[in-house]
Amino acid sequence: MKKHILVVGGGFAGINLIKSLKNDKRFKITLVDQNNYHFFPPLIYQVATSFIEASNISYPFRKLFSESKNVNYHMGKLVQVYPDKKTIETDTGTLSYDYLVLAMGTESNFFGMENVQKCALPMKTIEEALYLRNHILLTFEEASRNKDMEKAERLQNIVIAGGGPTGVELAGMLAEMGKYIAQKEYPEIKLGLSHLYLIDALPSLLSPMSDLAKKTAYQTLEELGVKILLNVSVKDYVDGKVILSDGRSIETETLIWTSGVIGREVHGVPETSIGKGRRLLVDAYNKVEETTNIYAVGDLCLMLSEEKYPKGHPQLAQVAIQQGKNLAANFKRIEDGKVLEPFRYNDKGSMAIISKYNAVVDLPKYSFKGFIAWLTWLFIHIIPLVGFGSKIRLALDWLRLFITNNPSIRLILFPKRNTGN
Ligand SMILES: Cc1cc2nc3c(=O)[nH]c(=O)nc-3n(C[C@H](O)[C@H](O)[C@H](O)COP(=O)(O)OP(=O)(O)OC[C@H]3O[C@@H](n4cnc5c(N)ncnc54)[C@H](O)[C@@H]3O)c2cc1C
């Protein structure tokens, strides 16, 4: 009898697990995902800033697994797990499993601030990135029509909350957009009134990275004109005003939220299996505590058993990829009657792009910055893209865009049905 593995979530963890088991006749695999495509979050900020197309970093699941005879795709959103019945309920039907793998990642964490959740612009999914892209372009248009000086700052200011790699990369890209594009294409806007703020509650940008990376990010962004506010956090967002913890406020229509994440909610697993950051507590083999045959991998899980990471692994692509592969290998070991291998994270380093031709790279024993770091960043971000065609297309697009400084995809598009009006 084939074992039915149900994988919920086709991000880095989910698809790497499936790729390692595809065409293995002992398993039947069903991938459940609310979207019909896999996407690459590290480059999503380039979609949000109209630099690249969403299709550059996304790939349809059905195409990805069209050659894999034992893999099916089910479009749906997980609603509830029923461990006793070994089934899950999705918004598009009920599915049963022998092994369930939860790989749904995280969502934005607004830390209970209702107004921020309602009005800030998160950037975790392709839809959110496209919404942000439309919002920025629409606000540029409104700013170019605006004659009311009191309103000008609110329209032209942009606030990014979160000085991690995503916030830093986005700030660099937006600052360069102002320099290369806004000056040329929006002559009506008085750019002297525009300010780009980057805010973080911690004392430095890129806090988990090396001192070299922190210093380089700060200096480069400051030179690009970004106003960096550290040791301060967003407390509220009312009437177009971002309220800060030190009492200051900034007028803006655009508060971009890259401040934190929380595990996607899973109904049906024991409450005691849910740990800090709503991550599912797993053992060294990624099995969810106090369950049988339910596993969690990637950002959604919290593994406290590896000595080097007593507080759990960082929520990074490499952790998700390696956990997906290790769990797949363990499923094979179960079938072969072999001893299982605990997960051990192989840290390959981290990096962030700060501006054109400037990035920072932290390898486990060595850090570097500048043009070589920038080339390394480009290369490393092309390799894991799904599909050879996507890699080539993105490489060519980047070459053209970095030379011209001017992508031509700044289109404000709202898909809607023609109602005849
Ligand atoms: C903007 C951004 C930039 C980043 N930059 C970097 C970087 O430079 N380097 C790095 O290492 N990491 C980076 N990360 C983190 C990295 O993307 C994550 O660690 C990684 O994606 C985690 O993989 P995952 O498979 O656990 O989850 P994800 O990649 O988040 O995939 C989750 C999948 O589950 C699906 N899903 C969610 N909920 C449901 C549901 N209820 N039902 C069905 N399907 C569902 C989603 O559609 C998605 O396909 C970044 C993240 C973001 C958001």
Side-chain angles (χ1 to χ4, degrees), residues 165 169 206-210 213 314-318 345-353 359-369 373 376-377 380-381:
E169 289 174 343
L206 300 179
S207 64
M209 294 187 74
S210 64
Q315 287 163 297
L316 291 175
Q318 268 304 323
Y345 176 44
N346 176 11
D347 181 5
K348 297 181 176 174
S350 52
M351 56 188 69
I353 200 165
V360 283
V361 175
D362 285 348
L363 298 177
K365 290 192 175 144
Y366 177 67
S367 300
F368 58 106
K369 62 172 188 168
T376 310
W377 186 98
I380 294 291
H381 282 78

PDB file of all heavy atoms in Angstrom, residues 165 169 206-210 213 314-318 345-353 359-369 373 376-377 380-381:
ATOM      1  N   PRO A 165      16.450  42.610   6.955  1.00  0.00           N
ATOM      2  CA  PRO A 165      16.845  42.584   5.539  1.00  0.00           C
ATOM      3  C   PRO A 165      15.738  43.100   4.606  1.00  0.00           C
ATOM      4  O   PRO A 165      16.029  43.879   3.684  1.00  0.00           O
ATOM      5  CB  PRO A 165      17.151  41.112   5.275  1.00  0.00           C
ATOM      6  CG  PRO A 165      17.491  40.554   6.618  1.00  0.00           C
ATOM      7  CD  PRO A 165      16.718  41.328   7.625  1.00  0.00           C
ATOM      8  N   GLU A 169      16.307  46.341   2.287  1.00  0.00           N
ATOM      9  CA  GLU A 169      16.312  46.174   0.821  1.00  0.00           C
ATOM     10  C   GLU A 169      15.246  47.059   0.181  1.00  0.00           C
ATOM     11  O   GLU A 169      15.474  47.706  -0.849  1.00  0.00           O
ATOM     12  CB  GLU A 169      16.099  44.699   0.470  1.00  0.00           C
ATOM     13  CG  GLU A 169      17.335  43.875   0.825  1.00  0.00           C
ATOM     14  CD  GLU A 169      17.189  42.366   0.650  1.00  0.00           C
ATOM     15  OE1 GLU A 169      16.071  41.861   0.550  1.00  0.00           O
ATOM     16  OE2 GLU A 169      18.221  41.692   0.630  1.00  0.00           O
ATOM     17  N   LEU A 206      19.552  45.585  10.419  1.00  0.00           N
ATOM     18  CA  LEU A 206      20.053  44.216  10.163  1.00  0.00           C
ATOM     19  C   LEU A 206      20.565  43.556  11.446  1.00  0.00           C
ATOM     20  O   LEU A 206      21.683  43.008  11.470  1.00  0.00           O
ATOM     21  CB  LEU A 206      21.195  44.252   9.118  1.00  0.00           C
ATOM     22  CG  LEU A 206      20.865  44.808   7.735  1.00  0.00           C
ATOM     23  CD1 LEU A 206      22.101  44.789   6.829  1.00  0.00           C
ATOM     24  CD2 LEU A 206      19.753  44.003   7.062  1.00  0.00           C
ATOM     25  N   SER A 207      19.766  43.606  12.501  1.00  0.00           N
ATOM     26  CA  SER A 207      20.297  43.208  13.817  1.00  0.00           C
ATOM     27  C   SER A 207      20.892  41.806  13.896  1.00  0.00           C
ATOM     28  O   SER A 207      21.854  41.619  14.631  1.00  0.00           O
ATOM     29  CB  SER A 207      19.244  43.420  14.897  1.00  0.00           C
ATOM     30  OG  SER A 207      18.167  42.587  14.650  1.00  0.00           O
ATOM     31  N   PRO A 208      20.398  40.787  13.166  1.00  0.00           N
ATOM     32  CA  PRO A 208      21.055  39.472  13.351  1.00  0.00           C
ATOM     33  C   PRO A 208      22.370  39.354  12.578  1.00  0.00           C
ATOM     34  O   PRO A 208      23.071  38.368  12.710  1.00  0.00           O
ATOM     35  CB  PRO A 208      20.040  38.466  12.798  1.00  0.00           C
ATOM     36  CG  PRO A 208      18.946  39.245  12.157  1.00  0.00           C
ATOM     37  CD  PRO A 208      19.276  40.695  12.221  1.00  0.00           C
ATOM     38  N   MET A 209      22.742  40.383  11.797  1.00  0.00           N
ATOM     39  CA  MET A 209      23.932  40.245  10.944  1.00  0.00           C
ATOM     40  C   MET A 209      25.186  40.841  11.599  1.00  0.00           C
ATOM     41  O   MET A 209      25.139  41.333  12.722  1.00  0.00           O
ATOM     42  CB  MET A 209      23.657  40.886   9.564  1.00  0.00           C
ATOM     43  CG  MET A 209      22.571  40.126   8.787  1.00  0.00           C
ATOM     44  SD  MET A 209      22.352  40.704   7.096  1.00  0.00           S
ATOM     45  CE  MET A 209      23.790  40.063   6.265  1.00  0.00           C
ATOM     46  N   SER A 210      26.316  40.789  10.884  1.00  0.00           N
ATOM     47  CA  SER A 210      27.606  41.234  11.437  1.00  0.00           C
ATOM     48  C   SER A 210      27.647  42.762  11.621  1.00  0.00           C
ATOM     49  O   SER A 210      26.837  43.486  11.027  1.00  0.00           O
ATOM     50  CB  SER A 210      28.738  40.845  10.473  1.00  0.00           C
ATOM     51  OG  SER A 210      28.545  41.546   9.260  1.00  0.00           O
ATOM     52  N   ALA A 213      27.963  44.501   8.328  1.00  0.00           N
ATOM     53  CA  ALA A 213      26.692  44.603   7.593  1.00  0.00           C
ATOM     54  C   ALA A 213      25.840  45.742   8.168  1.00  0.00           C
ATOM     55  O   ALA A 213      25.282  46.560   7.423  1.00  0.00           O
ATOM     56  CB  ALA A 213      25.934  43.285   7.674  1.00  0.00           C
ATOM     57  N   PRO A 314      16.494  30.155  13.015  1.00  0.00           N
ATOM     58  CA  PRO A 314      15.987  31.390  12.408  1.00  0.00           C
ATOM     59  C   PRO A 314      14.989  31.048  11.300  1.00  0.00           C
ATOM     60  O   PRO A 314      15.088  29.977  10.684  1.00  0.00           O
ATOM     61  CB  PRO A 314      17.250  32.037  11.824  1.00  0.00           C
ATOM     62  CG  PRO A 314      18.245  30.927  11.701  1.00  0.00           C
ATOM     63  CD  PRO A 314      17.918  29.932  12.752  1.00  0.00           C
ATOM     64  N   GLN A 315      14.042  31.949  11.065  1.00  0.00           N
ATOM     65  CA  GLN A 315      13.027  31.683  10.026  1.00  0.00           C
ATOM     66  C   GLN A 315      13.578  32.121   8.678  1.00  0.00           C
ATOM     67  O   GLN A 315      13.323  33.222   8.209  1.00  0.00           O
ATOM     68  CB  GLN A 315      11.709  32.362  10.403  1.00  0.00           C
ATOM     69  CG  GLN A 315      11.044  31.612  11.561  1.00  0.00           C
ATOM     70  CD  GLN A 315       9.979  32.404  12.267  1.00  0.00           C
ATOM     71  OE1 GLN A 315      10.280  33.442  12.843  1.00  0.00           O
ATOM     72  NE2 GLN A 315       8.757  31.934  12.257  1.00  0.00           N
ATOM     73  N   LEU A 316      14.359  31.224   8.095  1.00  0.00           N
ATOM     74  CA  LEU A 316      15.062  31.514   6.842  1.00  0.00           C
ATOM     75  C   LEU A 316      14.800  30.420   5.817  1.00  0.00           C
ATOM     76  O   LEU A 316      14.498  29.275   6.172  1.00  0.00           O
ATOM     77  CB  LEU A 316      16.574  31.590   7.098  1.00  0.00           C
ATOM     78  CG  LEU A 316      17.079  32.767   7.921  1.00  0.00           C
ATOM     79  CD1 LEU A 316      18.578  32.618   8.182  1.00  0.00           C
ATOM     80  CD2 LEU A 316      16.803  34.090   7.203  1.00  0.00           C
ATOM     81  N   ALA A 317      15.001  30.806   4.554  1.00  0.00           N
ATOM     82  CA  ALA A 317      14.755  29.866   3.455  1.00  0.00           C
ATOM     83  C   ALA A 317      15.590  28.593   3.599  1.00  0.00           C
ATOM     84  O   ALA A 317      15.087  27.492   3.395  1.00  0.00           O
ATOM     85  CB  ALA A 317      15.066  30.564   2.136  1.00  0.00           C
ATOM     86  N   GLN A 318      16.878  28.738   3.954  1.00  0.00           N
ATOM     87  CA  GLN A 318      17.747  27.561   4.028  1.00  0.00           C
ATOM     88  C   GLN A 318      17.282  26.559   5.088  1.00  0.00           C
ATOM     89  O   GLN A 318      17.388  25.348   4.891  1.00  0.00           O
ATOM     90  CB  GLN A 318      19.197  27.990   4.312  1.00  0.00           C
ATOM     91  CG  GLN A 318      20.024  28.206   3.065  1.00  0.00           C
ATOM     92  CD  GLN A 318      20.069  26.978   2.151  1.00  0.00           C
ATOM     93  OE1 GLN A 318      20.111  25.834   2.593  1.00  0.00           O
ATOM     94  NE2 GLN A 318      20.042  27.208   0.861  1.00  0.00           N
ATOM     95  N   TYR A 345      20.949  21.920  11.286  1.00  0.00           N
ATOM     96  CA  TYR A 345      20.982  23.044  10.337  1.00  0.00           C
ATOM     97  C   TYR A 345      22.406  23.340   9.898  1.00  0.00           C
ATOM     98  O   TYR A 345      23.298  23.531  10.735  1.00  0.00           O
ATOM     99  CB  TYR A 345      20.347  24.278  11.002  1.00  0.00           C
ATOM    100  CG  TYR A 345      20.412  25.529  10.166  1.00  0.00           C
ATOM    101  CD1 TYR A 345      20.119  25.507   8.804  1.00  0.00           C
ATOM    102  CD2 TYR A 345      20.750  26.752  10.748  1.00  0.00           C
ATOM    103  CE1 TYR A 345      20.182  26.651   8.036  1.00  0.00           C
ATOM    104  CE2 TYR A 345      20.794  27.916   9.996  1.00  0.00           C
ATOM    105  CZ  TYR A 345      20.516  27.856   8.636  1.00  0.00           C
ATOM    106  OH  TYR A 345      20.574  28.993   7.874  1.00  0.00           O
ATOM    107  N   ASN A 346      22.603  23.384   8.591  1.00  0.00           N
ATOM    108  CA  ASN A 346      23.902  23.771   8.037  1.00  0.00           C
ATOM    109  C   ASN A 346      23.801  25.246   7.623  1.00  0.00           C
ATOM    110  O   ASN A 346      23.248  25.557   6.570  1.00  0.00           O
ATOM    111  CB  ASN A 346      24.190  22.859   6.834  1.00  0.00           C
ATOM    112  CG  ASN A 346      25.473  23.252   6.124  1.00  0.00           C
ATOM    113  OD1 ASN A 346      26.259  24.056   6.630  1.00  0.00           O
ATOM    114  ND2 ASN A 346      25.671  22.688   4.940  1.00  0.00           N
ATOM    115  N   ASP A 347      24.332  26.130   8.480  1.00  0.00           N
ATOM    116  CA  ASP A 347      24.215  27.577   8.240  1.00  0.00           C
ATOM    117  C   ASP A 347      25.181  28.001   7.130  1.00  0.00           C
ATOM    118  O   ASP A 347      26.392  27.908   7.279  1.00  0.00           O
ATOM    119  CB  ASP A 347      24.540  28.318   9.550  1.00  0.00           C
ATOM    120  CG  ASP A 347      24.417  29.821   9.382  1.00  0.00           C
ATOM    121  OD1 ASP A 347      23.995  30.282   8.303  1.00  0.00           O
ATOM    122  OD2 ASP A 347      24.734  30.544  10.348  1.00  0.00           O
ATOM    123  N   LYS A 348      24.608  28.467   6.026  1.00  0.00           N
ATOM    124  CA  LYS A 348      25.465  28.870   4.899  1.00  0.00           C
ATOM    125  C   LYS A 348      25.680  30.377   4.865  1.00  0.00           C
ATOM    126  O   LYS A 348      26.230  30.906   3.904  1.00  0.00           O
ATOM    127  CB  LYS A 348      24.830  28.401   3.594  1.00  0.00           C
ATOM    128  CG  LYS A 348      24.724  26.884   3.531  1.00  0.00           C
ATOM    129  CD  LYS A 348      24.119  26.418   2.236  1.00  0.00           C
ATOM    130  CE  LYS A 348      24.118  24.893   2.192  1.00  0.00           C
ATOM    131  NZ  LYS A 348      23.420  24.368   1.043  1.00  0.00           N
ATOM    132  N   GLY A 349      25.161  31.082   5.875  1.00  0.00           N
ATOM    133  CA  GLY A 349      25.364  32.535   5.940  1.00  0.00           C
ATOM    134  C   GLY A 349      24.119  33.302   5.547  1.00  0.00           C
ATOM    135  O   GLY A 349      23.088  32.720   5.209  1.00  0.00           O
ATOM    136  N   SER A 350      24.223  34.628   5.607  1.00  0.00           N
ATOM    137  CA  SER A 350      23.070  35.453   5.223  1.00  0.00           C
ATOM    138  C   SER A 350      23.571  36.684   4.470  1.00  0.00           C
ATOM    139  O   SER A 350      24.769  37.020   4.533  1.00  0.00           O
ATOM    140  CB  SER A 350      22.269  35.865   6.456  1.00  0.00           C
ATOM    141  OG  SER A 350      23.118  36.444   7.403  1.00  0.00           O
ATOM    142  N   MET A 351      22.663  37.354   3.790  1.00  0.00           N
ATOM    143  CA  MET A 351      23.077  38.512   2.986  1.00  0.00           C
ATOM    144  C   MET A 351      21.917  39.461   2.774  1.00  0.00           C
ATOM    145  O   MET A 351      20.754  39.084   2.950  1.00  0.00           O
ATOM    146  CB  MET A 351      23.625  38.036   1.645  1.00  0.00           C
ATOM    147  CG  MET A 351      22.688  37.188   0.847  1.00  0.00           C
ATOM    148  SD  MET A 351      23.505  36.478  -0.604  1.00  0.00           S
ATOM    149  CE  MET A 351      24.614  35.335   0.142  1.00  0.00           C
ATOM    150  N   ALA A 352      22.253  40.692   2.418  1.00  0.00           N
ATOM    151  CA  ALA A 352      21.200  41.672   2.094  1.00  0.00           C
ATOM    152  C   ALA A 352      21.770  42.621   1.056  1.00  0.00           C
ATOM    153  O   ALA A 352      22.956  42.982   1.105  1.00  0.00           O
ATOM    154  CB  ALA A 352      20.782  42.448   3.347  1.00  0.00           C
ATOM    155  N   ILE A 353      20.908  43.017   0.110  1.00  0.00           N
ATOM    156  CA  ILE A 353      21.311  44.003  -0.886  1.00  0.00           C
ATOM    157  C   ILE A 353      20.910  45.363  -0.303  1.00  0.00           C
ATOM    158  O   ILE A 353      19.856  45.475   0.325  1.00  0.00           O
ATOM    159  CB  ILE A 353      20.620  43.710  -2.233  1.00  0.00           C
ATOM    160  CG1 ILE A 353      21.358  44.366  -3.395  1.00  0.00           C
ATOM    161  CG2 ILE A 353      19.180  44.116  -2.244  1.00  0.00           C
ATOM    162  CD1 ILE A 353      20.939  43.808  -4.749  1.00  0.00           C
ATOM    163  N   ALA A 359      26.057  45.376  -1.570  1.00  0.00           N
ATOM    164  CA  ALA A 359      25.358  44.422  -0.706  1.00  0.00           C
ATOM    165  C   ALA A 359      26.288  44.031   0.432  1.00  0.00           C
ATOM    166  O   ALA A 359      27.471  44.407   0.435  1.00  0.00           O
ATOM    167  CB  ALA A 359      24.954  43.194  -1.513  1.00  0.00           C
ATOM    168  N   VAL A 360      25.745  43.302   1.397  1.00  0.00           N
ATOM    169  CA  VAL A 360      26.582  42.776   2.480  1.00  0.00           C
ATOM    170  C   VAL A 360      26.359  41.273   2.553  1.00  0.00           C
ATOM    171  O   VAL A 360      25.225  40.806   2.400  1.00  0.00           O
ATOM    172  CB  VAL A 360      26.237  43.427   3.844  1.00  0.00           C
ATOM    173  CG1 VAL A 360      26.829  44.811   3.943  1.00  0.00           C
ATOM    174  CG2 VAL A 360      24.744  43.470   4.097  1.00  0.00           C
ATOM    175  N   VAL A 361      27.444  40.545   2.762  1.00  0.00           N
ATOM    176  CA  VAL A 361      27.340  39.082   2.838  1.00  0.00           C
ATOM    177  C   VAL A 361      28.049  38.627   4.109  1.00  0.00           C
ATOM    178  O   VAL A 361      29.202  38.981   4.338  1.00  0.00           O
ATOM    179  CB  VAL A 361      28.000  38.415   1.604  1.00  0.00           C
ATOM    180  CG1 VAL A 361      28.003  36.896   1.756  1.00  0.00           C
ATOM    181  CG2 VAL A 361      27.281  38.810   0.318  1.00  0.00           C
ATOM    182  N   ASP A 362      27.348  37.861   4.942  1.00  0.00           N
ATOM    183  CA  ASP A 362      27.966  37.248   6.126  1.00  0.00           C
ATOM    184  C   ASP A 362      28.073  35.752   5.881  1.00  0.00           C
ATOM    185  O   ASP A 362      27.056  35.044   5.855  1.00  0.00           O
ATOM    186  CB  ASP A 362      27.073  37.459   7.371  1.00  0.00           C
ATOM    187  CG  ASP A 362      27.145  38.882   7.904  1.00  0.00           C
ATOM    188  OD1 ASP A 362      28.040  39.632   7.472  1.00  0.00           O
ATOM    189  OD2 ASP A 362      26.299  39.219   8.748  1.00  0.00           O
ATOM    190  N   LEU A 363      29.295  35.261   5.674  1.00  0.00           N
ATOM    191  CA  LEU A 363      29.491  33.812   5.614  1.00  0.00           C
ATOM    192  C   LEU A 363      29.757  33.356   7.050  1.00  0.00           C
ATOM    193  O   LEU A 363      30.043  34.195   7.923  1.00  0.00           O
ATOM    194  CB  LEU A 363      30.684  33.486   4.697  1.00  0.00           C
ATOM    195  CG  LEU A 363      30.499  33.927   3.239  1.00  0.00           C
ATOM    196  CD1 LEU A 363      31.753  33.628   2.428  1.00  0.00           C
ATOM    197  CD2 LEU A 363      29.275  33.253   2.623  1.00  0.00           C
ATOM    198  N   PRO A 364      29.684  32.051   7.339  1.00  0.00           N
ATOM    199  CA  PRO A 364      29.873  31.631   8.740  1.00  0.00           C
ATOM    200  C   PRO A 364      31.157  32.188   9.367  1.00  0.00           C
ATOM    201  O   PRO A 364      31.196  32.492  10.548  1.00  0.00           O
ATOM    202  CB  PRO A 364      29.872  30.108   8.648  1.00  0.00           C
ATOM    203  CG  PRO A 364      29.013  29.811   7.455  1.00  0.00           C
ATOM    204  CD  PRO A 364      29.265  30.924   6.481  1.00  0.00           C
ATOM    205  N   LYS A 365      32.251  32.329   8.552  1.00  0.00           N
ATOM    206  CA  LYS A 365      33.507  32.787   9.185  1.00  0.00           C
ATOM    207  C   LYS A 365      34.032  34.093   8.613  1.00  0.00           C
ATOM    208  O   LYS A 365      35.136  34.512   8.935  1.00  0.00           O
ATOM    209  CB  LYS A 365      34.581  31.712   9.016  1.00  0.00           C
ATOM    210  CG  LYS A 365      34.264  30.495   9.856  1.00  0.00           C
ATOM    211  CD  LYS A 365      35.425  29.553   9.938  1.00  0.00           C
ATOM    212  CE  LYS A 365      35.041  28.432  10.898  1.00  0.00           C
ATOM    213  NZ  LYS A 365      35.555  27.175  10.529  1.00  0.00           N
ATOM    214  N   TYR A 366      33.306  34.722   7.715  1.00  0.00           N
ATOM    215  CA  TYR A 366      33.874  35.865   7.005  1.00  0.00           C
ATOM    216  C   TYR A 366      32.746  36.754   6.477  1.00  0.00           C
ATOM    217  O   TYR A 366      31.728  36.244   6.007  1.00  0.00           O
ATOM    218  CB  TYR A 366      34.736  35.313   5.852  1.00  0.00           C
ATOM    219  CG  TYR A 366      35.349  36.338   4.951  1.00  0.00           C
ATOM    220  CD1 TYR A 366      36.331  37.198   5.415  1.00  0.00           C
ATOM    221  CD2 TYR A 366      34.936  36.444   3.616  1.00  0.00           C
ATOM    222  CE1 TYR A 366      36.890  38.142   4.567  1.00  0.00           C
ATOM    223  CE2 TYR A 366      35.501  37.382   2.767  1.00  0.00           C
ATOM    224  CZ  TYR A 366      36.468  38.226   3.256  1.00  0.00           C
ATOM    225  OH  TYR A 366      37.023  39.160   2.436  1.00  0.00           O
ATOM    226  N   SER A 367      32.929  38.087   6.575  1.00  0.00           N
ATOM    227  CA  SER A 367      31.903  39.003   6.047  1.00  0.00           C
ATOM    228  C   SER A 367      32.531  39.908   4.993  1.00  0.00           C
ATOM    229  O   SER A 367      33.704  40.271   5.116  1.00  0.00           O
ATOM    230  CB  SER A 367      31.364  39.903   7.171  1.00  0.00           C
ATOM    231  OG  SER A 367      30.788  39.124   8.165  1.00  0.00           O
ATOM    232  N   PHE A 368      31.791  40.268   3.985  1.00  0.00           N
ATOM    233  CA  PHE A 368      32.293  41.247   3.010  1.00  0.00           C
ATOM    234  C   PHE A 368      31.147  42.071   2.453  1.00  0.00           C
ATOM    235  O   PHE A 368      29.967  41.740   2.640  1.00  0.00           O
ATOM    236  CB  PHE A 368      33.122  40.586   1.903  1.00  0.00           C
ATOM    237  CG  PHE A 368      32.404  39.519   1.109  1.00  0.00           C
ATOM    238  CD1 PHE A 368      31.973  39.779  -0.184  1.00  0.00           C
ATOM    239  CD2 PHE A 368      32.175  38.261   1.637  1.00  0.00           C
ATOM    240  CE1 PHE A 368      31.327  38.791  -0.935  1.00  0.00           C
ATOM    241  CE2 PHE A 368      31.529  37.268   0.898  1.00  0.00           C
ATOM    242  CZ  PHE A 368      31.109  37.540  -0.382  1.00  0.00           C
ATOM    243  N   LYS A 369      31.520  43.178   1.793  1.00  0.00           N
ATOM    244  CA  LYS A 369      30.501  44.107   1.301  1.00  0.00           C
ATOM    245  C   LYS A 369      30.917  44.633  -0.077  1.00  0.00           C
ATOM    246  O   LYS A 369      32.015  44.335  -0.551  1.00  0.00           O
ATOM    247  CB  LYS A 369      30.350  45.278   2.271  1.00  0.00           C
ATOM    248  CG  LYS A 369      31.613  46.094   2.411  1.00  0.00           C
ATOM    249  CD  LYS A 369      31.389  47.352   3.226  1.00  0.00           C
ATOM    250  CE  LYS A 369      32.630  48.224   3.172  1.00  0.00           C
ATOM    251  NZ  LYS A 369      32.469  49.543   3.656  1.00  0.00           N
ATOM    252  N   ALA A 373      30.037  41.533  -3.174  1.00  0.00           N
ATOM    253  CA  ALA A 373      28.922  41.058  -2.340  1.00  0.00           C
ATOM    254  C   ALA A 373      27.610  41.178  -3.122  1.00  0.00           C
ATOM    255  O   ALA A 373      26.743  40.300  -3.057  1.00  0.00           O
ATOM    256  CB  ALA A 373      28.851  41.869  -1.046  1.00  0.00           C
ATOM    257  N   THR A 376      27.451  38.432  -5.615  1.00  0.00           N
ATOM    258  CA  THR A 376      27.173  37.187  -4.884  1.00  0.00           C
ATOM    259  C   THR A 376      25.687  37.103  -4.561  1.00  0.00           C
ATOM    260  O   THR A 376      25.045  36.067  -4.739  1.00  0.00           O
ATOM    261  CB  THR A 376      27.990  37.143  -3.555  1.00  0.00           C
ATOM    262  OG1 THR A 376      29.340  37.438  -3.860  1.00  0.00           O
ATOM    263  CG2 THR A 376      27.870  35.811  -2.866  1.00  0.00           C
ATOM    264  N   TRP A 377      25.122  38.228  -4.105  1.00  0.00           N
ATOM    265  CA  TRP A 377      23.691  38.266  -3.762  1.00  0.00           C
ATOM    266  C   TRP A 377      22.844  37.903  -4.986  1.00  0.00           C
ATOM    267  O   TRP A 377      21.925  37.087  -4.905  1.00  0.00           O
ATOM    268  CB  TRP A 377      23.330  39.669  -3.246  1.00  0.00           C
ATOM    269  CG  TRP A 377      21.925  39.816  -2.733  1.00  0.00           C
ATOM    270  CD1 TRP A 377      21.517  39.759  -1.431  1.00  0.00           C
ATOM    271  CD2 TRP A 377      20.736  40.055  -3.508  1.00  0.00           C
ATOM    272  NE1 TRP A 377      20.160  39.939  -1.356  1.00  0.00           N
ATOM    273  CE2 TRP A 377      19.649  40.118  -2.615  1.00  0.00           C
ATOM    274  CE3 TRP A 377      20.482  40.199  -4.867  1.00  0.00           C
ATOM    275  CZ2 TRP A 377      18.337  40.332  -3.016  1.00  0.00           C
ATOM    276  CZ3 TRP A 377      19.171  40.402  -5.286  1.00  0.00           C
ATOM    277  CH2 TRP A 377      18.119  40.469  -4.367  1.00  0.00           C
ATOM    278  N   ILE A 380      23.278  34.133  -5.809  1.00  0.00           N
ATOM    279  CA  ILE A 380      22.650  33.251  -4.811  1.00  0.00           C
ATOM    280  C   ILE A 380      21.123  33.319  -4.899  1.00  0.00           C
ATOM    281  O   ILE A 380      20.428  32.345  -4.621  1.00  0.00           O
ATOM    282  CB  ILE A 380      23.121  33.649  -3.369  1.00  0.00           C
ATOM    283  CG1 ILE A 380      24.609  33.385  -3.207  1.00  0.00           C
ATOM    284  CG2 ILE A 380      22.304  32.973  -2.274  1.00  0.00           C
ATOM    285  CD1 ILE A 380      25.024  31.930  -3.179  1.00  0.00           C
ATOM    286  N   HIS A 381      20.592  34.478  -5.294  1.00  0.00           N
ATOM    287  CA  HIS A 381      19.130  34.592  -5.359  1.00  0.00           C
ATOM    288  C   HIS A 381      18.560  34.053  -6.666  1.00  0.00           C
ATOM    289  O   HIS A 381      17.351  33.861  -6.768  1.00  0.00           O
ATOM    290  CB  HIS A 381      18.685  36.037  -5.103  1.00  0.00           C
ATOM    291  CG  HIS A 381      18.712  36.368  -3.636  1.00  0.00           C
ATOM    292  ND1 HIS A 381      19.877  36.660  -2.975  1.00  0.00           N
ATOM    293  CD2 HIS A 381      17.723  36.399  -2.708  1.00  0.00           C
ATOM    294  CE1 HIS A 381      19.601  36.879  -1.696  1.00  0.00           C
ATOM    295  NE2 HIS A 381      18.310  36.727  -1.504  1.00  0.00           N
TER     296      HIS A 381
END
